[in-house]
Amino acid sequence: MIKDTSLGYEAAREREEAQVSRVLTWLSVAAVLCLVGIGAKAWHSDHTNHALTLWGFILPVLANMVWFARSGNRDVQKTGLLVVVSVLFTYLIASGGEGNTGPLWFYVFPPLLFFLTNLKTGTMILLLVYLVAVIVFQFPSLPFVLAEYENDFIIRFFVTLTFESIFCFVLEASRLKARNELLDLALTHEHAAKTDELTGLSNRRDILNRLSEEFSRHQRAGHHFSIVLIDLDLFKNINDQYGHNAGDAALKQFAKLVQSVIRQTDVAARWGGEEFLLLLPDTSLIPALTLAERLRSEVEQDRFSYHGEELPITMSAGVCSVAQVDSIETMLKQADAHLYSAKEAGRNRIIPRVRSYTADTQSEPNI
């Protein structure tokens, strides 16, 4: 079930990344409108160079939006927007903007930075931004610095920016912690909803969903798959003679044995009581019969025990391939009919019949 949990996390991250991309797209649109408006104001105030520079930043923002629309690369979208915003803020603090108010735009940077990156990366970039601000404030004679700031403004700027940065860091850390806790809780409930509590295998509801997905894949692309319906022979006698705790122990031991035999792509489920169902993707009838016979042989040879008492456990199984049927219902009925035939024929066997696993291993490869 680790694989399912990982897939759950991946799906959650994918949804979150998609949401971030949508937000960035709207932020980019807002940035373009803001640059147009502020540039127009600067133009009417006869700050021609400043207006043209602000309008010039519209081009890389639009280029980043077009690139993302064509490529769908979210990492490039984030990096591109961060670079444009960083250069814009550097220009604003170095030029002073209008009336030396350019540095005030820096207050937008910390929340945007932590939103686009993780806490570690955001903190490193923020420290780099601090370094740029210190250089501009302390060395006004540098060629690219066009503004001078009073010491009182510099002190207030750094104090308030530091407070905001710490506040944004704490909020983002709290958000991430709450998000991860909620995700863990959701995945725990999801796991419980599709897992048999006793054996740890998939439950009936989950395996039916997987069967439906596999059948849809077969209809779309023609991928074959097979199922194996298993019943532990005379299991009621185990419960009656040794007790239900012994029966539960046998079911758990059998589940572990099944998981050691099947492939990683296969799915084992507790179908109900002492019945189990195996879903074997990309498997035709003969390989499915071979796997079922191998499992039957392993069960027959394995030593099932409870509190030192050996439990007589064998299994019967019915196998069916999707090539033989036209629906999931028919497939399950066919496997059940084969299982019934196996029990009627004396149990501890597979139907359709297959040579013993020992003989098969000499001529057929393991699955």
Side-chain angles (χ1 to χ4, degrees):
M1 304 309 294
I2 295 176
K3 176 177 66 176
D4 292 341
T5 301
S6 299
L7 290 175
Y9 274 105
E10 287 297 327
R13 280 195 290 267
E14 175 63 24
R15 290 193 297 268
E16 188 174 30
E17 288 294 322
Q19 183 180 12
V20 169
S21 291
R22 288 192 294 269
V23 171
L24 290 187
T25 298
W26 285 109
L27 281 176
S28 298
V29 172
V32 169
L33 296 176
C34 186
L35 288 170
V36 170
I38 297 175
K41 180 181 181 300
W43 182 272
H44 288 294
S45 300
D46 293 327
H47 297 144
T48 306
N49 291 335
H50 181 55
L52 292 175
T53 302
L54 291 176
W55 287 339
F57 278 100
I58 295 176
L59 296 177
V61 174
L62 291 176
N64 189 54
M65 292 175 65
V66 171
W67 179 267
F68 173 69
R70 290 184 176 181
S71 67
N73 192 319
R74 293 168 183 163
D75 291 333
V76 172
Q77 182 194 30
K78 289 182 182 180
T79 304
L81 189 60
L82 270 178
V83 170
V84 173
V85 170
S86 299
V87 175
L88 174 60
F89 286 168
T90 300
Y91 162 74
L92 288 173
I93 196 172
S95 66
E98 288 191 70
N100 278 10
T101 59
L104 299 181
W105 287 97
F106 258 92
Y107 294 120
V108 179
F109 200 60
L112 178 64
L113 186 61
F114 288 122
F115 179 73
L116 294 179
T117 65
N118 54 55
L119 293 175
K120 182 178 180 180
T121 303
T123 301
M124 293 176 63
I125 295 177
L126 196 57
L127 290 175
L128 181 61
V129 169
Y130 266 76
L131 179 60
V132 172
V134 169
I135 292 174
V136 170
F137 287 145
Q138 295 301 315
F139 303 97
S141 60
L142 290 174
F144 64 90
V145 179
L146 306 177
E148 292 188 23
Y149 302 93
E150 296 180 357
N151 288 334
D152 187 54
F153 175 84
I154 294 173
I155 293 173
R156 291 175 185 271
F157 172 77
F158 277 119
V159 170
T160 53
L161 184 63
T162 299
F163 175 81
E164 184 200 19
S165 300
I166 294 174
F167 188 64
C168 289
F169 181 94
V170 172
L171 283 180
E172 181 64 11
S174 300
R175 185 191 72 83
L176 290 175
K177 181 181 178 182
R179 188 277 306 265
N180 291 336
E181 289 176 350
L182 286 173
L183 184 57
D184 287 339
L185 184 61
L187 291 173
T188 298
H189 283 293
E190 181 184 358
H191 175 79
K194 61 184 183 181
T195 305
D196 177 63
E197 184 177 2
L198 177 65
T199 62
L201 302 178
S202 294
N203 60 18
R204 191 185 186 102
R205 175 185 176 185
D206 183 51
I207 196 65
L208 284 173
N209 288 335
R210 292 174 183 262
L211 274 171
S212 178
E213 293 172 1
E214 197 64 32
F215 191 77
S216 297
R217 194 168 77 101
H218 165 70
Q219 291 180 314
R220 289 194 311 270
H223 291 281
H224 285 276
F225 70 96
S226 299
I227 63 172
V228 181
L229 185 59
I230 301 168
D231 185 81
L232 299 186
D233 298 327
L234 301 174
F235 195 76
K236 184 178 183 299
N237 294 344
I238 300 294
N239 287 326
D240 292 342
Q241 184 174 349
Y242 300 97
H244 287 279
N245 288 338
D248 289 347
L251 291 174
K252 289 191 283 187
Q253 186 175 339
F254 176 77
K256 291 181 180 178
L257 182 59
V258 169
Q259 289 176 308
S260 70
V261 171
I262 63 175
R263 305 165 302 180
Q264 288 187 345
T265 53
D266 299 333
V267 182
R270 189 180 180 190
W271 190 243
E274 65 273 15
E275 285 192 336
F276 296 82
L277 185 69
L278 306 184
L279 170 61
L280 313 177
D282 300 311
T283 306
S284 58
L285 182 60
I286 297 302
L289 288 170
T290 304
L291 184 143
E293 177 60 25
R294 177 187 171 192
L295 178 61
R296 187 207 63 78
S297 177
E298 293 279 352
V299 171
E300 184 179 38
Q301 296 173 23
D302 200 36
R303 183 177 180 272
F304 289 80
S305 63
Y306 180 73
H307 289 175
E309 292 190 84
E310 190 166 345
L311 308 177
I313 300 293
T314 58
M315 59 162 271
S316 301
V319 182
C320 184
S321 171
V322 72
Q324 303 171 287
V325 297
D326 57 4
S327 68
I328 296 175
E329 292 76 14
T330 307
M331 194 175 194
L332 290 169
K333 287 180 181 179
Q334 186 66 52
D336 188 61
H338 287 163
L339 173 60
Y340 180 80
S341 298
K343 299 179 84 63
E344 285 291 303
R347 299 184 176 86
N348 192 23
R349 65 193 63 218
I350 308 298
I351 298 293
R353 295 299 299 272
V354 66
R355 292 173 296 169
S356 68
Y357 176 70
T358 303
D360 271 350
T361 54
Q362 297 175 2
S363 58
E364 297 188 32
N366 292 347
I367 296 178

